[in-house]
Amino acid sequence: MAVTVRECYLFLLDNYHHNFVPPELPLDENVDGALRFLEKNIEKCMKNAAARPAVFKESSDMRKLFLEYRNRSIPFLEFAREIAMKRYEFKGRYEIFTSSDLFICVITNKEEEFLVGLEINCKEEMVHHVVQNEIGIQNNLLVHQSVLPKVSLSNSSFFMIDMDKLNLTILEGMTSSIDDDTFLYADKILECQTKISLKEAVRTAREVAEEVVEDHQLDKLHLIPAFERVIKETVNVGEDLDMGVIAEEVFFEAPEARLAYVEQLKGHGIDKPVINQNLVKMPLRKTQRLVTDTGIEITIPLDYYNNKEFVEVVNGPDGRLSIQIKNIGNIENK
């Protein structure tokens, strides 16, 4: 994934001091590392499995304004300023008293063009301030508001609009108030209809799988790791997540469980393939960790865990379980 920022404006949304600072000029691309900082963080957001696909509602005012910008009826800065102003106003309305930097950019990725918004909360930090005069050198500490994104970008919000298809990707946390719970960018600012994210779908799918496995008295120690592996392998080759196909592969020996799984997922709103819009990848587990009710913990490489010649869980006549680790050439203390 090679993101290139073509044009960017930085808006300062300081709701703590009730100060909105819009720019008149784009970000200086000659500042060493500034654009690369943005490009790396945009790439992280695009790859985040928690990002939700979305489409504009037909009644969306921001959709109309975006089409005006795309048709060159208004300049990019006018569109960007409208988004930033709405974000600043809604932060105040929902009492989000933080200082944040909102970068609104036009980017290219794999020869496709997107409009991107990345908002990162500023943090209060102490910085050194060295004063040198005739008397001598004085070292002080000053309070400074700086942009310090975490590796996970958990303190950030992100949206991306496909310039050609008008599809959106939105990554943000829910905002709660006395009146309602809402996603400010998706529901209030851009006015979109969002779909379930891959992360939400995988979590729900696993919870339902565990319920079905328990209800049908299937082998949980074998089926749940197999379920996770099939899901992540499907995502990592760039395919959408079709739970019906996943169920056929995982529950092929238990057709009743397969049907129950698909039906229960429909009750959670997952009745169609979950879109992998940005070709997100999910880390594959390399080991399986088992924890017994007696406190024993065992970590087994998945290649061996799935092979009964090396590892086997045996049901005893009294209902208790045994774990057999076989074909071992040597054992060492670590």
Side-chain angles (χ1 to χ4, degrees), residues 52 87 154 156-157 171-176 182-185:
R52 295 172 296 150
R87 176 62 175 176
S154 59
S156 307
S157 299
L171 177 64
E172 63 175 327
M174 180 175 285
T175 298
S176 298
T182 187
F183 293 100
L184 287 182
Y185 275 109

Side-chain angles (χ1 to χ4, degrees), residues 9-284:
Y9 288 90
L10 169 58
F11 295 82
L12 309 184
L13 315 182
D14 189 352
N15 292 81
Y16 182 79
H17 297 100
H18 307 289
N19 195 19
F20 173 66
V21 186
E24 295 177 347
L25 298 173
L27 203 67
D28 187 352
E29 57 187 46
N30 294 316
V31 175
D32 189 33
L35 293 188
R36 186 58 194 143
F37 165 84
L38 277 176
E39 289 163 354
K40 286 173 65 177
N41 285 291
I42 289 170
E43 286 176 7
K44 288 178 185 177
C45 291
M46 292 173 68
K47 294 175 183 177
N48 196 316
R52 295 172 296 150
V55 293
F56 280 117
K57 295 177 181 176
E58 286 297 320
S59 59
S60 168
D61 290 333
M62 201 55 69
R63 177 182 183 274
K64 297 170 187 174
L65 199 64
F66 175 77
L67 290 175
E68 287 185 38
Y69 156 65
R70 197 179 68 167
N71 295 333
R72 304 295 185 262
S73 300
I74 60 172
F76 174 50
L77 180 55
E78 182 177 336
F79 176 76
R81 183 187 174 98
E82 185 67 21
I83 290 180
M85 177 60 79
K86 279 184 174 289
R87 176 62 175 176
Y88 176 75
E89 290 174 351
F90 275 111
K91 280 181 66 180
R93 196 177 303 178
Y94 280 81
E95 299 183 346
I96 305 173
F97 299 123
T98 60
S99 176
S100 59
D101 285 0
L102 174 56
F103 302 88
I104 301 184
C105 326
V106 174
I107 71 164
T108 54
N109 180 48
K110 296 181 179 178
E111 301 182 353
E112 294 182 296
E113 194 173 56
F114 301 89
L115 188 146
V116 163
L118 174 62
E119 182 181 356
I120 303 175
N121 287 342
C122 300
K123 290 188 175 181
E124 194 173 85
E125 300 290 330
M126 303 300 292
V127 295
H128 294 125
H129 182 229
V130 179
V131 179
Q132 184 172 4
N133 53 35
E134 295 150 351
I135 301 175
I137 295 175
Q138 182 183 39
N139 295 328
N140 296 319
L141 288 175
L142 295 179
V143 176
H144 177 67
Q145 290 284 348
S146 60
V147 178
L148 295 170
K150 297 178 182 178
V151 174
S152 63
L153 288 173
S154 59
N155 64 336
S156 307
S157 299
F158 168 82
F159 66 85
M160 182 172 71
I161 308 172
D162 188 313
M163 296 284 281
D164 181 37
K165 303 172 186 174
L166 261 70
N167 292 333
L168 295 95
T169 300
I170 302 179
L171 177 64
E172 63 175 327
M174 180 175 285
T175 298
S176 298
S177 69
I178 296 174
D179 298 323
D180 66 349
D181 297 327
T182 187
F183 293 100
L184 287 182
Y185 275 109
D187 299 334
K188 305 294 186 182
I189 299 170
L190 299 169
E191 298 176 272
C192 299
Q193 184 69 46
T194 59
K195 299 177 182 178
I196 191 170
S197 71
L198 276 171
K199 184 176 181 179
E200 292 168 324
V202 170
R203 183 177 65 246
T204 301
R206 181 193 166 111
E207 289 172 357
V208 172
E210 289 178 343
E211 291 175 11
V212 169
V213 165
E214 186 172 344
D215 291 344
H216 290 77
Q217 298 182 335
L218 302 175
D219 184 357
K220 179 180 180 180
L221 293 176
H222 170 71
L223 286 177
I224 297 304
F227 166 82
E228 287 186 343
R229 176 184 55 79
V230 172
I231 277 193
K232 291 182 179 180
E233 287 178 353
T234 301
V235 170
N236 289 349
V237 296
E239 295 182 7
D240 293 340
L241 208 52
D242 189 329
M243 294 305 182
V245 174
I246 301 292
E248 284 189 14
E249 184 167 348
V250 175
F251 297 111
F252 70 95
E253 292 181 336
E256 290 184 4
R258 176 177 60 80
L259 293 174
Y261 179 71
V262 172
E263 284 302 312
Q264 285 186 228
L265 278 180
K266 289 180 181 178
H268 290 272
I270 304 177
D271 55 353
K272 296 178 181 178
V274 181
I275 300 172
N276 189 4
Q277 187 163 281
N278 297 316
L279 304 181
V280 167
K281 292 187 181 297
M282 305 182 78
L284 286 171

